């Protein structure tokens, strides 16, 4: 299945606009997003809704979403990337931004993401905390991982954003 244009891009446009407008509201950004930015996000997505959603979740968590989005949109990547490679590159960009030199972060990441990946059923933050009582500040870790998790309200199960992330993390 090829995602390079046509009707699927028109399906992406309202999702991109809604999510980018939510970022502008949350970050109090003026004149964002422009129509040009929306168009660039839609084109760069190549019809992958999960790419748009993941990018927007990431942008909600960074201090300067406009600059980070511009950097991302200017990255030169092959146009013939498959869906898996495109998502792997996006996840890698997000993961590389984590503080891997911090021993406590790495330990928390391994325990929390390992539990999320291994669980047969999605767990709430309370359940994760009960299973991993040695992890201090679980809520702070989960906030860091937010671009890789589905949005959820307090008490809701915590799930990774997409099966493609699960596959990437388990296979490598």
């Amino acid at each position: 299945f090829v995602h390079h244009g046509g009707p699927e891009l028109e399906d992406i446009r309202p999702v991109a606009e809604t999510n980018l407008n939510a970022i502008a509201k949350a970050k109090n950004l003026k004149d964002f997003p422009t129509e040009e930015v929306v168009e660039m996000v839609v084109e760069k997505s190549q019809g992958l809704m999960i790419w748009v959603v993941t990018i927007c979740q990431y942008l909600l968590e960074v201090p300067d979403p406009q600059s980070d989005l511009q950097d991302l949109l200017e990255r030169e990547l092959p146009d013939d990337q498959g869906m898996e490679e495109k998502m792997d590159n996006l996840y890698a960009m997000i993961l590389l931004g984590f503080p891997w030199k911090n021993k406590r972060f790495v330990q928390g990441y391994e325990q929390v993401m390992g539990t999320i990946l291994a669980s047969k059923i999605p767990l709430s933050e309370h359940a994760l905390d009960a299973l991993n009582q040695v992890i201090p500040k679980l809520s702070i870790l989960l906030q860091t991982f937010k671009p890789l998790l589905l949005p959820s309200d307090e008490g809701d199960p915590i799930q990774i954003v997409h099966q493609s992330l699960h596959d990437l993390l388990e296979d490598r």
Side-chain angles (χ1 to χ4, degrees), residues 12-26:
I12 300 292
R13 186 173 316 287
V15 173
E17 285 176 319
T18 299
N19 281 282
L20 292 170
N21 283 323
I23 292 164
K25 185 176 180 181

Side-chain angles (χ1 to χ4, degrees), residues 27-104:
K27 299 286 187 169
N28 199 24
L29 303 175
K30 304 288 185 232
D31 303 319
F32 180 83
T34 64
E35 185 56 39
E36 180 184 9
V37 166
V38 172
E39 185 60 33
M40 289 172 70
V41 168
V42 170
E43 288 295 322
K44 194 80 165 181
S45 77
Q46 296 177 320
L48 292 174
M49 185 85 62
I50 189 62
W51 189 89
V52 173
V53 171
T54 304
I55 283 296
C56 290
Q57 285 181 206
Y58 168 73
L59 293 172
L60 276 169
E61 302 306 316
V62 297
D64 186 1
Q66 288 173 293
S67 295
D68 282 27
L69 179 59
Q70 194 61 41
D71 291 347
L72 182 100
L73 293 174
E74 291 173 356
R75 285 176 66 196
E76 293 295 324
L77 296 172
D79 286 337
D80 62 345
Q81 279 186 313
M83 181 189 91
E84 184 177 304
E85 184 180 3
K86 185 172 190 70
M87 291 309 300
D88 285 356
N89 285 330
L90 176 57
Y91 298 139
M93 181 199 76
I94 293 168
L95 289 163
L96 287 172
F98 289 169
W100 296 109
K101 292 182 180 181
N102 182 309
K103 184 175 81 173
R104 280 189 237 50

Side-chain angles (χ1 to χ4, degrees), residues 1 11 18-19 26 54 65 79-80 86 89 96 102 104-105 113 120 122 125 156 160 167 170 172:
F1 187 73
D11 292 342
T18 299
N19 281 282
T54 304
D79 286 337
D80 62 345
K86 185 172 190 70
N89 285 330
L96 287 172
N102 182 309
R104 280 189 237 50
F105 171 82
M113 288 301 278
K120 297 287 184 200
E125 183 175 341
D156 285 350
I160 59 168
D167 295 345
E170 279 207 339
R172 295 173 184 110

Side-chain angles (χ1 to χ4, degrees), residues 117-163:
L117 292 172
S119 177
K120 297 287 184 200
I121 58 168
L123 303 170
S124 67
E125 183 175 341
H126 180 72
L128 277 171
D129 195 32
L131 288 171
N132 295 291
Q133 291 179 354
V134 297
I135 300 173
K137 302 182 180 159
L138 175 64
S139 61
I140 293 172
L141 277 172
L142 290 174
Q143 186 69 28
T144 303
F145 305 154
K146 203 169 185 178
L148 302 176
L149 303 173
L150 287 176
S152 63
D153 293 323
E154 190 173 327
D156 285 350
I158 297 168
Q159 301 176 62
I160 59 168
V161 72
H162 193 261
Q163 183 64 39

